[in-house]
Amino acid sequence: MSAAAPALELHDVTVAYGRRPVLWNVDLSVDAPGLFGIIGPNGAGKSTLLKAALGLVPLAGGTVRFFGRPLAEVRGRIGYVPQRETVDWDFPVSVLDVVLMGTYGGLGWFRRPGAAQREAARAALDRVGLADLAGRQIGRLSGGQQQRVFLARALVQAADLYLLDEPLAGVDARSQDRIFRVLDELRSEGRLVVVVHHDLRTAAEWFDGVALVDMRLVAAGPVAAVLTPENLHRTYAGHLDVLDELGRAVERGGRTS
Amino acid sequence: MSQPAGIPYNTLVVAAAVAAVGFAAGVIGSFGVLRRRALVSDAAAHATLAGVVAAFLATGRRDLPTLLAGAFAAAVLALGGLVVIRRFTRTRDDAATAIVLGVSFGLGIALLAGISARGIPGAGGLEHFLLGHTAALTAGDATALAAAAALAVLIVWLGLKEATLVAFDPAFAAATGWPVALIDYALVTLMAAMVVVGLPAAGAVLVTALVVIPPVTARLWTERVATMVPLAGAIGLVAAVGGVATSNAVPRLPTGPTIVLVAAGVFSLSFFVAPRRGWFARRRAAVDAARALAERLRAAAAGEQTAPDPRGA
């Protein structure tokens, strides 16, 4: 990961749904390795930022580069964990089936996963602590387990950059610890992990760097420099109740029990 | 066309073709259902009638390939209309589908009525495409239908991995570089083709049932796509063959309704007796859960000093 170009670089990115702009002129550059949080109120465009970077929603303007190159050239180096609610968990697939989907990109058209892929999928499941649930239908898992399945699917992508959309939303404490431990390992291995996160109280203790987003980029950089009362006020200005709670959390040093 | 003694060759060929079409309908329908495109196939199916009549009017011919080519063109046009309505008006999916279904079917019925009112020669039999009628199929037509059905199954089998991925998680599929829109178009085109291939057997009004009921039934029995798809095919096969046999036994009974009724019979049975997802299984599970809960409450009430269950409530 010694390349000169940053792992993720957004330049002047603007996104609109129909005529309604949801993100304005975002400039953001993040280097590997690291654990980076994208934080902001509901409807601030955090998820949209990830989707725009991945080309899932069209850019109204701006450019996105991964490792200094356009997405199409480096897709194999990028892992993605969508929001859990975006899929139907009643779908007739097993845990292992879903994790194997992480190998499809590398397999290409019409080739089926074989023993090597199955082994990688089992290893990923082991890493998230779900090895014994491989054969279970995905609807018969808890929310936290489902989220870990999604993480395992991204792990088999063996990417250098991971983009995760709210991986800790509605997740039990045990799953949260496990997920966070895996993300921490990914960072230790030299990768960049970008996480859309809604909970400011945990952000300060988990992330190296954060971006505060509220339809535009309010601030980005190391946690200590970004999570200041002024920046938080600018980000959450329209959300006074949240702000109140945050004020108390920040006073306690970002640590809650 | 048929010999008087035994089961005529033609009947056997038609039965085999109907079996193949039923199997293919279940297989392709599986992905229609999983991708939530069941109603879309219904709109395409209803549009085929207008295509059949228009093909006859345009060419003056009434051989099956000509009529089905018209049916396919109409189905594709209907699907295109659906896309246009959704994109350029703010109509929701269900309303747009209902509009296309109603309008295209109305057009088909009007064309059909116009033809019979004017007594255009050679138009007799077109109304069979409304509710299905396999008795008139020639061995050649039946063979062609079977071949088309086999090809459709082969395509789904080839793209099983891609279709499953896109049906389950289109965002992840797109993020990992799969052309989701292209795969979706392929799937919808395949469904339109399937509806057309099923048209002689089940008719424009009911062919969707042949595409939708078998997968939904199969889903009750299994938790895996890889099992659901062939099982849906098998159920479709049973419904199609059973329906055609029943309809042959009763004079003037079209095949579409009997196919649908056989499929519905299999569904109803499955609804009750399927393991896990069936009514009896779910009821038993609910009773077991209630009993276990009552047991724990009783235990808790009996010994207040016992340690709390570490797993929580």
Side-chain angles (χ1 to χ4, degrees), chain A residues 16-219:
Chain A
Y17 287 136
R19 286 201 200 120
R20 192 169 57 92
V22 282
L23 274 179
W24 292 92
N25 312 106
V26 173
D27 277 295
L28 182 63
S29 171
V30 191
D31 286 311
L35 200 41
F36 191 87
I38 296 176
I39 294 165
N42 287 333
K46 307 184 293 289
S47 297
T48 304
L49 189 63
L50 281 201
K51 289 182 192 152
L54 285 164
L56 300 180
V57 297
L59 298 182
T63 53
V64 178
R65 288 278 180 282
F66 294 93
F67 307 102
R69 290 147 103 187
L71 174 64
E73 290 176 23
V74 288
R75 224 185 263 278
R77 297 178 66 186
I78 299 160
Y80 176 48
V81 177
Q83 280 186 28
R84 184 161 54 88
E85 307 86 74
T86 54
V87 305
D88 170 18
W89 290 91
D90 198 37
F91 202 87
V93 283
S94 71
V95 166
L96 189 68
D97 292 336
V98 172
V99 177
L100 279 170
M101 289 177 187
T103 67
Y104 287 6
L107 285 170
W109 287 98
F110 308 132
R111 270 187 61 207
R112 302 288 166 87
Q117 283 76 26
R118 224 160 258 129
E119 197 177 317
R122 285 188 191 282
L125 273 176
D126 194 36
R127 203 166 167 187
V128 300
L130 293 178
D132 47 342
L133 297 181
R136 190 176 286 195
Q137 195 271 330
I138 53 170
R140 272 189 255 282
L141 300 174
S142 73
Q145 290 169 333
Q146 290 175 345
Q147 195 66 65
R148 284 190 271 159
V149 172
F150 263 16
L151 178 59
R153 181 177 67 173
L155 289 176
V156 285
Q157 290 184 269
D160 296 319
L161 163 59
Y162 283 96
L163 301 171
L164 297 86
D165 201 344
E166 296 273 13
L168 300 167
V171 155
D172 57 286
R174 189 158 153 232
S175 289
Q176 179 168 308
D177 288 350
R178 190 75 186 218
I179 290 168
F180 193 71
R181 196 161 80 217
V182 172
L183 299 185
D184 201 37
E185 288 167 12
L186 291 172
R187 166 175 53 186
S188 318
E189 293 160 9
R191 308 172 210 265
L192 171 62
V193 180
V194 177
V195 181
V196 166
H197 192 57
H198 66 285
D199 183 6
L200 240 166
R201 291 170 300 181
T202 46
E205 63 176 306
W206 285 352
F207 299 124
D208 314 314
V210 289
L212 282 172
V213 176
D214 185 21
M215 296 187 73
R216 66 217 148 74
L217 187 69
V218 176

Side-chain angles (χ1 to χ4, degrees), chain B residues 296 307-313:
Chain B
R296 262 170 60 188
D309 188 337
R311 282 168 303 172

Side-chain angles (χ1 to χ4, degrees), chain A residues 90 108 110 112 140 153, chain B residues 157 161-162 169 219 223:
Chain A
D90 198 37
F110 308 132
R112 302 288 166 87
R140 272 189 255 282
R153 181 177 67 173
Chain B
W157 180 248
K161 159 175 135 264
E162 290 75 11
D169 193 346
R219 178 68 185 92
E223 306 276 28

Side-chain angles (χ1 to χ4, degrees), chain B residues 29 32-33 36-49 71 74-75 78-79 82 94 96-106 130 188 191-192 194-196 199 202-212 260:
Chain B
V33 167
R36 303 174 180 223
R37 297 282 191 272
L39 263 182
V40 172
S41 82
D42 204 17
H46 278 75
T48 55
L49 184 66
L79 294 170
L82 203 51
D94 59 337
T97 310
I99 290 170
V100 169
L101 186 154
V103 171
S104 60
F105 189 58
L130 205 50
V188 170
M191 285 181 71
M194 194 56 241
V195 155
V196 169
L199 206 54
V205 181
L206 295 172
V207 67
T208 304
L210 187 58
V211 177
V212 173
V260 171

Side-chain angles (χ1 to χ4, degrees), chain B residues 171-186:
Chain B
F172 182 78
T176 44
W178 294 97
V180 172
L182 186 78
I183 294 171
D184 262 339
Y185 281 129

Side-chain angles (χ1 to χ4, degrees), chain B residues 97-265:
Chain B
T97 310
I99 290 170
V100 169
L101 186 154
V103 171
S104 60
F105 189 58
L107 179 67
I109 293 289
L111 285 175
L112 200 58
I115 282 185
S116 48
R118 280 161 202 227
I120 294 177
L126 288 186
E127 74 280 358
H128 286 323
F129 286 95
L130 205 50
L131 294 173
H133 180 73
T134 51
L137 284 180
T138 66
D141 288 345
T143 310
L145 288 178
L151 182 66
V153 170
L154 186 70
I155 292 172
V156 170
W157 180 248
L158 260 180
L160 192 66
K161 159 175 135 264
E162 290 75 11
T164 307
L165 176 67
V166 167
F168 173 61
D169 193 346
F172 182 78
T176 44
W178 294 97
V180 172
L182 186 78
I183 294 171
D184 262 339
Y185 281 129
L187 175 66
V188 170
T189 308
L190 211 53
M191 285 181 71
M194 194 56 241
V195 155
V196 169
V197 170
L199 206 54
V205 181
L206 295 172
V207 67
T208 304
L210 187 58
V211 177
V212 173
I213 299 177
V216 172
T217 308
R219 178 68 185 92
L220 290 171
W221 290 91
T222 175
E223 306 276 28
R224 302 288 299 274
V225 173
T227 315
M228 175 181 160
V229 172
L231 186 58
I235 295 169
L237 185 154
V238 167
V241 173
V244 167
T246 314
S247 135
N248 280 349
V250 181
R252 300 176 58 84
L253 182 60
T255 46
T258 51
I259 289 176
V260 171
L261 289 175
V262 173

